[in-house]
RNA sequence: GGACGCUUAGCUCAGCUGGCUAGAGCACCUGCUUGACGUGCAGGGGGUCAGCGGUUCAAGUCCGUUAGCGUCCACCA
């Protein structure tokens, strides 16, 4: 069988082909199987309007790594995929598109609009899914769900009705955040505060005199950032403890422009220290004022229409936009002599996170979820550690929200979404909340009802995602088996929107947590650390990266060099480094396969078909060394992955493959592979066996991170039908730890490095070989070099190697390299400058001395000796011995030269 | 106002529960057509781990504090 492989790895073509193969073989599909332990992840459903961005790429790469890892470990791994209807985001997009066609939403009507929305979903809903596939995501696509599919709709209705019955969902008239552009209420979580440069208008209202008329001499001064709201003022407030204003008790002020008297009320809410200690109260347009108004039974005067223009309560200002009204009102106040001064003022303004419009607080009748009781189990779960947040610091952010939680406004004045299952009797207005439209009014017997026109906050359905996707409210097998899920992977930016809401919903509806662990990641930023955004145009399209460098390179880039929860910067240079690694893996494999081919042609046998037991006797120390290193790697990587340290895990695999395996092991076995000497057949077989087995294990460890290239190589080595993704995850084996061989090879590496070092320093031409002598009094050390003679001479550019117990017969002017328990001599003849050589040895002596001083300091410290763990003390003792011994060798050599 | 995070090589960052001579990638310098790979190989320079104080036998790692940068929450009108 010939394996002609290209010199560089080209992911094009390979990735799609392999993904299709995985799909065809149903490797992603999971079914209930009681003989296996489930491992479940639910995808954070991407919006149907969405395009894959770097955040998705990171999020889904992490999930794919975990799911592939667990699948290989033998778990029944389910990655439940799906998409989100994204009510407001989608509705806005559709409105935009209609606008291009010159159509207004209202012209279409609700039905017509929804038709267009479903068309949109059909057209674009699949786009993000196909993009996730490009990444290599091993989701069980047979189970793909949508937040507005039949099952999810049922779940939503069920939850709404249940919670309403329990009294935890209620309709109430309260102050809410209104977006005048999107024309809907939004929840507190959707308000984004932005620092804005504005003004502080210092204004005064006349006091009302005994005759009920505005006083010409007495005024009350205060300041406001929103002068137009004065149209809705129904009081002015001072702090009851403010002695400056005790005289105001029971008095009234005259509201200019509106021309009416309003009371002065006393409320602790007013900060005496701030400004004049006087606050105008507009209960209908400010959340704090709303509370004050409730306490003092103040009237609530709504002065705005839904589009933030002034309504009929604004008198002559009716019809003006809020900002135009502001301008004109200020002008009128100035004319009246009531404007004291204008101050520049920078303050935070609440905006709608989607469209950045300044929100307007308004009193409206909306549906709310009562949070105080609901949140309790969700807080407890994290406190007790039943749900683990990674990194831990996210817990503080979590509690910060849960501790200050307010009722959740869930109704939206939108069409695209789950319609609220509330019905109003056409005759008496009675509200009936039910799964289906009622037939008779329980109060008046009327048979005609109108359903509430509002839809639900898009997060209402996402909150149910971990169980609605598994079949709830039906009691399905899937639900019983796969719930609770294991890990949720998401960005910290949606902790309030989604994570918390899933947790309390899980406890409330299922009586059980939705997941055991939440693994947070940060934001992917551009190379300058800026958030990638459309408006900045600094977004990098993951699909372009995949096209250019391959999905594996992208995945590796996103996972390495980053700690959980931290933001990361995206650099092309880093993708290139990842691509280079892929190429390295490719070429190492190519090298191994080429040698396999040669071997196979001769013997008809493949190395990997031989068992360890069959080959064990033929293994060389270097073979055992790399097997031992691999064994340790398996343990470390498994441990890291179990504790979600994905970046650390893959870094170790990377280092092992590149440094240990490619730069050392492969180079070490080359002479053996190329040897034509008789009697080397067993050794050659052992090398090939080791190369292949180490490679295959390394590919397995790498597979969750770089699924495509590992699969391609795995199949090329074994067969097209084989698959690394369903192979067994490597396990640590006590019987494959070879401490003795590890030490031996490390010692030889040190000798090789020393020799290369000296050669470079002396400008020895790479092609010039030189005789090398290894002198050691210790027999075991001599044996190590004898056994490794073949590769040692190659790596050390030696023309020949002599291993002996003393310095006899070695030219005095030879260059020397001191390693533990041995000195290496290289007679370079004319190249050697004795003075320089002495200089070099003295430097080495100095280095060893300072090391010794440090170690001796520690060992001479009584407290260290008595308090440090024994293992640590032993380590330091061993170091002392090693350095002392090396120093003696250096000094002996110096005395010979001087 | 409250909380959190970051500050480690020229750049971007790792460094988990304190314990080798503090690491990686990129960049830089020197050399290399060594039969897998120049998307490579070999060698090298470069850090008082932000400052100060403390705990400890031992601090990049823990505690306190200061400064700079960043994020989240609250929102005093």
């Amino acid at each position: 069988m010939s394996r002609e492989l290209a010199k560089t790895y080209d992911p094009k073509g390979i990735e799609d082909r392999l993904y299709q193969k995985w799909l065809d073989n149903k490797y992603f599909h999971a079914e209930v199987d009681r003989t296996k332990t489930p491992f479940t992840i639910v995808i954070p459903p991407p919006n149907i309007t969405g395009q894959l961005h770097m955040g998705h790429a990171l999020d889904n790469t992490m999930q794919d790594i975990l799911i592939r890892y667990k699948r290989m470990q033998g778990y029944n791994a389910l990655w439940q995929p799906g998409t989100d209807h994204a009510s407001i985001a989608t509705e806005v997009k559709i409105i935009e598109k209609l606008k291009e066609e010159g159509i207004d939403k209202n012209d279409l009507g609700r039905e017509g609009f929804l038709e267009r929305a479903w068309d949109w979903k059909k057209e674009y809903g699949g786009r993000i899914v196909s993009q996730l596939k490009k990444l290599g995501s091993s989701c069980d696509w047979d189970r793909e769900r949508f937040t507005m599919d039949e099952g999810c709709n049922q779940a939503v209705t069920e939850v709404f009705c249940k919670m309403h019955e329990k009294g935890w969902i209620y309709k109430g008239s309260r102050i809410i955040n209104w977006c005048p552009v999107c024309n809907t209420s939004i929840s507190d979580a959707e308000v984004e505060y932005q620092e804005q440069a504005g003004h502080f208008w210092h204004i005064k209202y006349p006091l009302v005199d005994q005759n009920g008329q505005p006083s010409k001499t007495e005024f009350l001064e205060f300041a406001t950032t929103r002068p137009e709201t004065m149209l809705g003022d129904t009081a002015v407030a001072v702090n009851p403890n403010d002695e400056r204003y005790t005289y105001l008790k029971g008095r009234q002020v005259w509201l200019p422009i509106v021309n009416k008297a309003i009371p002065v009320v006393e409320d602790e809410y007013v900060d005496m220290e701030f400004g004049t200690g006087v606050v105008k109260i507009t209960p209908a347009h400010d959340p704090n004022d709303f509370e004050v108004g409730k306490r003092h039974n103040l009237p609530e005067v709504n002065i705005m229409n839904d589009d933030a223009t002034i309504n009929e309560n604004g008198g002559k200002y009716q019809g003006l936009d809020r900002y135009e009204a502001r301008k004109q009102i200020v002008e009128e106040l100035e004319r009246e002599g009531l404007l004291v001064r204008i101050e520049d003022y920078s303050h935070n303004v609440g905006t709608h996170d989607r469209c950045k419009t300044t929100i307007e607080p308004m009193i409206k009748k909306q549906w709310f979820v009562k949070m105080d009781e609901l949140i309790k189990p969700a807080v407890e779960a994290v406190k007790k550690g039943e749900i683990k947040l990674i990194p831990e610091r996210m817990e503080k952010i979590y509690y910060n929200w849960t501790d200050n939680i307010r009722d959740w406004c869930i109704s939206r004045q939108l069409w695209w979404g789950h319609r609220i299952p509330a019905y109003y009797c056409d005759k008496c207005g009675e509200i009936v909340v039910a799964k289906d439209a009622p037939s008779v009014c329980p109060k008046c017997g009327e048979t005609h009802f109108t359903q509430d026109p509002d839809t639900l906050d898009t997060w209402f359905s996402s909150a149910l995602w971990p169980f609605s996707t598994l079949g709830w409210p039906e009691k399905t097998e899937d639900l019983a088996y796969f719930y609770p899920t294991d890990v949720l992977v998401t960005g910290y930016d949606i902790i309030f929107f989604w994570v918390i809401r899933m947790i309390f919903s899980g406890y409330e509806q299922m009586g059980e947590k939705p997941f055991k662990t939440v693994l947070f990641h940060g934001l992917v930023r551009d190379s300058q650390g800026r958030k990638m955004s459309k408006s900045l145009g600094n977004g990098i399209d993951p699909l372009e990266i995949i096209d250019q460098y391959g999905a594996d390179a992208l995945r590796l880039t996103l996972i390495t060099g980053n700690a959980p929860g931290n933001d990361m910067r995206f650099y092309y240079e880093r993708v290139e480094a990842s691509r280079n690694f892929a190429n390295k893996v490719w070429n190492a494999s190519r090298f191994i396969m080429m040698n396999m081919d040669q071997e196979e042609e001769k013997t008809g046998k493949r190395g990997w078909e031989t068992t360890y037991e069959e080959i064990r006797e033929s293994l060389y120390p270097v073979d055992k060394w790399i097997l031992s290193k691999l064994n340790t790697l398996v343990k470390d990587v498994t441990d890291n992955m179990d504790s979600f340290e994905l970046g650390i895990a893959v870094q170790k695999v990377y280092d092992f493959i590149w440094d240990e395996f490619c730069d050392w092991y492969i180079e070490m076995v080359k002479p053996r592979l190329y040897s034509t000497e008789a009697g080397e057949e067993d050794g050659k077989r052992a090398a090939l066996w080791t190369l292949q087995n180490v490679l295959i294990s390394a590919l397995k460890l790498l597979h969750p991170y770089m699924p495509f290239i590992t699969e391609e190589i795995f199949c090329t080595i074994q067969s097209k039908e084989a698959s690394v993704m369903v192979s067994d995850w490597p396990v640590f084996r006590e019987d494959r730890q070879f401490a003795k061989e590890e030490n031996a090879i490390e010692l030889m590496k040190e000798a090789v490095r020393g020799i290369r070092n000296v050669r470079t320093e002396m400008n020895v031409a790479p092609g010039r070989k030189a005789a090398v002598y290894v002198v050691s009094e210790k027999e075991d050390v001599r044996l190590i070099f004898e056994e490794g003679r073949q590769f040692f001479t190659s790596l050390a550019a030696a023309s020949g190697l002599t291993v002996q117990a003393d310095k006899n017969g070695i030219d005095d002017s030879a260059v020397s390299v001191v390693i533990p328990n041995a000195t290496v001599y290289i007679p370079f003849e004319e190249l050697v400058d004795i003075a320089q050589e002495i200089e070099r040895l003295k430097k080495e002596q100095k280095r060893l001395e300072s090391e010794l001083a440090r170690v001796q300091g520690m060992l001479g410290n009584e407290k260290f000796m008595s308090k440090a763990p024994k293992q640590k003390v032993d380590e330091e003792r061993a170091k002392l011995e090693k350095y002392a011994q090396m120093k003696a060798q250096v000094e002996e050599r110096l005395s010979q030269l001087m």
Side-chain angles (χ1 to χ4, degrees):
Chain A
M1 179 187 177
S2 100
R3 297 186 194 83
E4 288 297 319
L5 294 177
K7 256 179 117 170
T8 51
Y9 173 61
D10 181 12
K12 281 219 179 74
I14 291 178
E15 295 182 349
D16 289 344
R17 190 188 78 229
L18 292 177
Y19 198 87
Q20 193 55 47
K21 171 189 146 183
W22 294 331
L23 283 176
D24 292 344
N25 285 305
K26 297 229 165 255
Y27 288 156
F28 303 160
H29 186 62
E31 285 287 337
V32 172
D33 177 354
R34 293 279 170 191
T35 65
K36 289 164 92 183
T37 311
F39 180 86
T40 315
I41 294 180
V42 284
I43 201 168
N47 295 352
I48 49 167
T49 57
Q51 291 246 51
L52 192 80
H53 59 242
M54 280 299 170
H56 291 125
L58 171 61
D59 192 55
N60 288 287
T61 296
M62 288 171 73
Q63 294 174 71
D64 197 42
I65 289 165
L66 292 173
I67 211 86
R68 283 177 186 271
Y69 165 60
K70 288 291 177 179
R71 196 182 283 125
M72 288 173 79
Q73 278 193 327
Y75 287 85
N76 192 6
L78 167 63
W79 186 5
Q80 171 65 52
T83 49
D84 195 307
H85 67 286
S87 133
I88 193 162
T90 307
E91 183 146 339
V92 165
K93 285 233 165 157
I94 296 168
I95 289 171
E96 271 171 23
K97 199 179 162 210
L98 290 173
K99 209 171 171 185
E100 283 168 23
E101 298 170 32
I103 306 172
D104 185 84
K105 170 183 164 182
N106 292 300
D107 299 341
L108 279 178
R110 189 167 191 137
E111 294 306 314
F113 181 83
L114 287 178
E115 240 170 69
R116 298 292 288 251
W118 281 105
D119 286 348
W120 174 286
K121 198 258 168 187
K122 260 182 229 134
E123 197 176 342
Y124 297 110
R127 184 175 56 185
I128 188 96
V129 168
S130 67
Q131 292 172 335
L132 286 172
K133 290 178 178 173
K134 284 268 174 203
L135 241 197
S137 312
S138 60
C139 300
D140 186 352
W141 298 111
D142 298 342
R143 291 173 176 269
E144 188 184 337
R145 296 293 301 270
F146 177 54
T147 48
M148 272 173 73
D149 65 20
E150 188 66 30
C152 288
N153 289 347
Q154 253 187 50
V156 165
T157 311
E158 177 80 19
V159 168
F160 192 96
C161 295
K162 259 176 80 181
M163 301 249 290
H164 178 262
E165 200 170 321
K166 213 170 166 180
W168 287 6
I169 283 182
Y170 65 91
K171 192 174 190 185
S173 198
R174 299 192 24 194
I175 194 142
I176 48 91
N177 309 295
W178 182 264
C179 176
V181 167
C182 300
N183 258 301
T184 180
S185 55
I186 57 172
S187 68
D188 294 338
E190 287 159 279
V191 178
E192 191 179 284
Y193 287 93
Q194 277 182 0
E195 177 99 359
Q196 281 181 17
H199 298 286
F200 219 11
W201 284 273
H202 294 257
I203 293 166
K204 55 186 182 181
Y205 287 170
L207 282 169
V208 171
D209 63 19
Q210 298 93 315
N211 307 322
Q213 292 303 309
S215 162
K216 297 228 163 47
T217 52
E218 281 186 299
F219 296 92
L220 209 48
E221 189 187 324
F222 56 88
T224 177
T225 52
R226 297 195 300 154
E228 72 281 8
T229 59
M230 69 159 296
L231 298 170
D233 281 1
T234 53
V236 162
V238 294
N239 192 298
N241 304 314
D242 196 334
E243 289 173 5
R244 290 174 296 177
Y245 298 120
T246 42
Y247 75 95
L248 288 174
K249 215 177 179 79
R251 292 198 60 178
Q252 290 184 309
V253 293
W254 188 259
L255 184 62
I257 298 175
V258 179
N259 286 321
K260 68 173 182 188
I262 53 172
V264 177
V265 297
E266 291 179 319
D267 200 284
E268 300 272 359
Y269 152 73
V270 182
D271 180 355
M272 294 189 285
E273 308 296 319
F274 189 84
T276 57
V278 179
V279 185
K280 68 191 245 342
I281 301 296
T282 323
H285 295 282
D286 182 283
N288 291 310
D289 293 6
F290 178 78
E291 297 300 326
V292 174
K294 283 280 177 235
R295 285 196 284 274
H296 300 275
N297 282 317
L298 298 173
E300 294 155 356
V301 178
N302 178 18
I303 60 159
M304 268 184 235
N305 299 308
D306 286 352
D307 60 357
T309 55
I310 305 298
N311 67 14
E312 67 281 1
N313 289 326
K316 62 186 169 197
Y317 294 105
Q318 182 176 0
L320 289 185
D321 175 76
R322 53 184 164 171
Y323 298 115
E324 183 55 30
R326 174 179 300 178
K327 201 179 140 217
Q328 295 189 20
I329 285 168
V330 169
E331 281 167 8
E332 180 168 352
L333 289 171
E334 192 173 13
R335 281 197 303 275
E336 301 289 324
L338 297 172
L339 180 70
V340 181
R341 65 195 164 96
I342 306 172
E343 187 186 343
D344 285 338
Y345 193 67
S346 172
H347 62 140
N348 282 325
V349 177
T351 63
H352 185 193
D353 61 356
R354 293 245 163 239
C355 64
K356 311 296 174 199
T357 308
T358 300
I359 59 115
E360 190 62 44
M362 289 205 209
I363 295 174
K364 284 195 176 275
K365 234 181 184 182
Q366 299 287 335
W367 291 91
F368 294 90
V369 176
K370 206 164 161 311
M371 289 309 309
D372 47 3
E373 287 299 318
L374 205 47
I375 201 69
K376 282 181 183 164
V379 176
E380 280 301 294
V382 175
K383 277 206 173 127
K384 283 192 191 141
E386 217 174 290
I387 297 177
K388 230 179 112 191
L389 307 188
I390 299 174
E392 223 174 74
R393 74 182 124 90
M394 293 300 169
E395 287 180 12
K396 291 208 174 173
I397 298 174
Y398 182 90
Y399 296 135
N400 190 299
W401 180 262
T402 55
D403 290 348
N404 299 299
I405 201 151
R406 289 198 286 173
D407 287 359
W408 175 18
C409 175
I410 49 171
S411 44
R412 297 289 179 275
Q413 290 64 55
L414 301 167
W415 286 345
W416 178 239
H418 300 93
R419 193 152 172 191
I420 289 173
Y423 303 85
Y424 304 96
C425 172
D426 283 354
K427 200 170 160 196
C428 71
E430 173 73 0
I431 305 174
V432 179
V433 170
K435 287 180 197 169
D436 303 300
S439 45
V440 178
C441 176
K443 207 170 167 190
C444 70
E446 165 69 35
T447 54
H448 288 83
F449 288 83
T450 307
Q451 186 173 3
D452 194 303
D454 289 356
T455 52
L456 288 164
D457 182 359
T458 204
W459 298 101
F460 192 91
S461 54
S462 341
L464 320 178
W465 192 243
F467 45 90
S468 64
T469 50
L470 291 171
W472 193 89
E474 304 296 323
K475 285 199 171 81
T476 61
E477 276 276 301
D478 282 344
L479 197 60
Y481 180 74
F482 291 112
Y483 192 93
T485 70
D486 291 88
V487 188
L488 178 84
V489 180
T490 190
Y492 61 76
D493 50 332
I494 54 172
I495 184 165
F496 309 129
F497 287 106
W498 196 41
V499 178
I500 288 177
R501 287 166 181 170
M502 274 192 287
I503 295 176
F504 68 66
S505 300
Y507 280 102
E508 176 63 18
Q509 309 307 331
M510 296 290 297
E512 169 75 286
K513 63 189 158 225
F515 29 71
K516 296 163 193 156
T517 306
V518 186
L519 179 58
F520 287 103
H521 59 253
L523 266 44
V524 184
R525 298 172 175 277
D526 74 358
S527 60
Q528 293 168 54
R530 297 174 307 182
K531 221 165 155 171
M532 287 187 187
S533 75
K534 262 189 204 142
S535 52
L536 273 173
N538 62 343
I540 297 169
D541 183 355
L543 295 167
E544 266 176 40
I545 299 288
I546 291 173
D547 191 53
Q548 230 177 319
Y549 300 94
D552 290 331
L554 172 64
R555 292 167 61 117
L556 184 63
T557 304
L558 291 172
I559 293 304
T560 45
N562 182 250
N566 285 1
D567 290 355
M568 66 183 304
R569 297 190 192 200
F570 193 91
Y571 282 87
Y572 278 92
E573 289 87 337
R574 293 191 51 224
V575 192
E576 272 170 31
S578 301
R579 187 268 321 264
N580 293 353
F581 176 65
N583 195 50
K584 188 72 184 174
V585 173
W586 181 256
N587 273 293
S589 308
R590 197 161 68 97
F591 170 78
I592 293 166
M593 285 187 262
M594 279 166 51
N595 283 284
M596 276 169 61
D597 285 351
Q598 286 176 21
E599 179 72 4
E600 204 184 324
E601 272 166 31
K602 271 193 277 180
T603 65
K605 252 191 130 178
R606 313 276 277 284
W608 55 272
E609 288 167 332
T610 307
T611 65
Y612 173 68
E613 281 65 33
E614 287 172 301
I615 204 82
R616 187 169 51 189
E617 293 306 317
S618 309
L619 294 174
Y620 283 31
V622 258
D623 303 334
K624 290 186 177 175
W625 163 75
I626 197 73
L627 287 170
S628 198
K629 284 274 186 186
L630 171 73
N631 203 31
T632 307
L633 177 74
V634 165
K635 185 180 186 309
D636 288 353
V637 167
T638 306
D639 286 350
N640 287 137
M641 292 188 74
D642 284 339
S643 38
F644 303 101
E645 294 159 354
L646 307 184
I648 296 173
V650 75
Q651 187 67 51
K652 284 178 182 167
V653 180
Y654 179 105
D655 290 343
F656 173 82
I657 291 178
W658 204 315
D659 298 346
E660 306 286 11
F661 190 58
C662 291
D663 289 347
W664 285 102
Y665 184 72
I666 289 182
E667 294 306 320
M668 284 166 165
V669 296
K670 270 181 184 172
R672 206 186 327 162
L673 292 176
Y674 298 146
S675 168
T676 50
E677 279 177 41
E680 284 264 19
E681 285 79 12
D682 275 3
K684 194 165 177 175
R685 267 193 349 121
L688 275 170
W689 183 90
T690 310
L691 282 168
Q692 290 167 66
N693 280 279
V694 172
L695 175 64
I696 287 171
S697 293
L699 289 175
K700 288 180 176 187
L701 296 177
L702 190 59
H703 179 260
Y705 298 87
M706 305 181 83
F708 294 111
I709 190 173
T710 49
E711 179 76 325
E712 180 66 7
I713 296 168
F714 191 86
C715 292
T716 314
I717 294 178
Q718 300 208 343
S719 76
K720 258 195 209 154
E721 293 70 38
S723 177
V724 68
M725 79 161 281
V726 290
S727 70
D728 293 335
W729 186 256
V731 290
F732 177 81
R733 306 190 43 156
E734 202 60 60
D735 63 330
R736 305 243 180 126
Q737 279 301 101
F738 304 107
K740 199 180 122 218
E741 282 79 2
E742 280 202 35
N743 289 334
I745 301 302
E746 293 305 328
L747 183 68
M748 294 187 77
K749 280 168 69 177
E750 210 171 325
V752 168
R753 278 196 221 100
I755 292 167
R756 287 173 173 171
N757 210 313
V758 165
R759 290 177 62 102
T760 306
E761 235 171 86
M762 298 177 66
N763 287 317
V764 180
R768 177 175 171 166
K769 310 279 184 230
V772 171
Y773 296 81
V774 172
V775 175
S776 177
E777 291 170 2
K778 300 206 166 179
E779 201 187 336
D780 56 335
V781 172
R782 294 201 300 273
L783 188 63
I784 287 170
F785 281 85
E786 286 294 357
E787 281 184 333
R789 151 183 304 278
Q790 191 183 32
F791 73 79
F792 184 77
T793 47
S794 156
L795 297 188
S799 55
L801 171 67
T802 312
V803 181
Q804 54 191 53
D806 52 45
K807 204 179 157 284
N808 287 346
I810 299 170
D811 192 289
D812 263 349
S813 65
V815 173
S816 53
V817 173
V818 169
I819 58 170
N821 293 311
T823 305
V824 180
Y825 293 91
I826 317 158
F828 275 132
E829 294 147 12
E830 81 282 358
L831 288 179
V832 183
D833 176 333
I834 300 286
Q836 231 177 45
E837 180 65 3
I838 289 172
E839 188 72 13
R840 211 172 53 74
L841 285 164
K842 279 192 168 165
K843 229 169 113 185
E844 178 70 358
Q845 182 190 29
K846 220 173 152 191
R847 186 185 72 89
L848 289 167
E849 271 168 2
S850 71
E851 283 306 316
L852 271 172
R854 194 185 56 80
V855 176
Q856 280 165 341
M858 279 174 95
L859 292 173
N861 184 333
E862 261 177 54
K863 285 185 173 170
F864 173 75
M865 298 303 282
S866 60
K867 292 198 175 178
K870 186 175 177 299
Q871 196 200 336
K872 180 72 195 158
V873 175
D874 288 346
E875 274 172 30
E876 293 301 321
R877 279 212 180 101
K879 265 187 248 168
L880 175 76
E881 197 184 329
K882 179 176 138 187
Y883 294 136
Q885 179 271 122
M886 285 172 75
K887 184 171 162 253
Q889 289 181 73
V890 169
E891 279 161 0
E892 191 195 333
R893 182 71 189 131
L894 273 170
S895 70
Q896 289 163 1
L897 293 174
M898 293 189 346

